[in-house]
Amino acid sequence: KEVQLIVLAESRGHRAYSKVAVFIQDLNDHPPHFEQTVYQASVSEGQFYNHHIVQVFATDLDSGSNGLVEYSILSGNEGKVFQMDPLSGVLTANVILDYEYSSAYRFVPNSDHLTSYS
């Protein structure tokens, strides 16, 4: 957001004017918010490695780079069976899923502000 000002300088009856533009930057003060509180997906056993299972989605009310969201799996991913793309929120399998080994998985996805590294 930008605010434009006109500034006046005076000296013994002489005046000068200048414009000043002030850019107001958004703070990173809003946490991300998931569109759904629960995501469910069903997949057949034997799906190939890296098969798209489900995509989670969160929004952040901050603007610009402060509004970018990064995804990760917070808990419940014993054995690193799944992976989540940090930018898209797409959940994929790291292994070929076997119904006889486990018929259901429950875990908590996480969204956070995207951290930029310089």
Side-chain angles (χ1 to χ4, degrees), residues 45-56:
E45 70 176 329
Q47 289 291 335
F48 292 110
Y49 165 80
N50 215 22
H51 179 78
H52 178 132
I53 297 171
V54 69
Q55 183 173 14
V56 299

Side-chain angles (χ1 to χ4, degrees), residues 15-108:
R15 293 181 176 184
Y17 299 91
S18 182
K19 289 183 182 178
V20 175
V22 178
F23 295 94
I24 302 170
Q25 296 179 335
D26 184 34
L27 288 176
N28 198 0
D29 57 351
H30 292 96
H33 178 74
F34 278 105
E35 277 192 354
Q36 297 173 220
T37 55
V38 175
Y39 289 84
Q40 294 183 355
S42 296
V43 294
S44 300
E45 70 176 329
Q47 289 291 335
F48 292 110
Y49 165 80
N50 215 22
H51 179 78
H52 178 132
I53 297 171
V54 69
Q55 183 173 14
V56 299
F57 186 73
T59 56
D60 187 320
L61 295 177
D62 292 313
S63 65
S65 62
N66 289 336
L68 298 176
V69 176
E70 183 175 34
Y71 301 94
S72 62
I73 298 172
L74 188 60
S75 66
N77 193 19
E78 287 80 23
K80 305 286 186 207
V81 173
F82 298 98
Q83 64 183 0
M84 181 163 287
D85 183 278
L87 299 179
S88 69
V90 171
L91 180 74
T92 56
N94 276 330
V95 298
I96 295 175
L97 301 176
D98 184 352
Y99 181 85
E100 285 72 32
Y101 178 75
S102 181
S103 62
Y105 294 90
R106 297 180 195 283
F107 51 88
V108 179

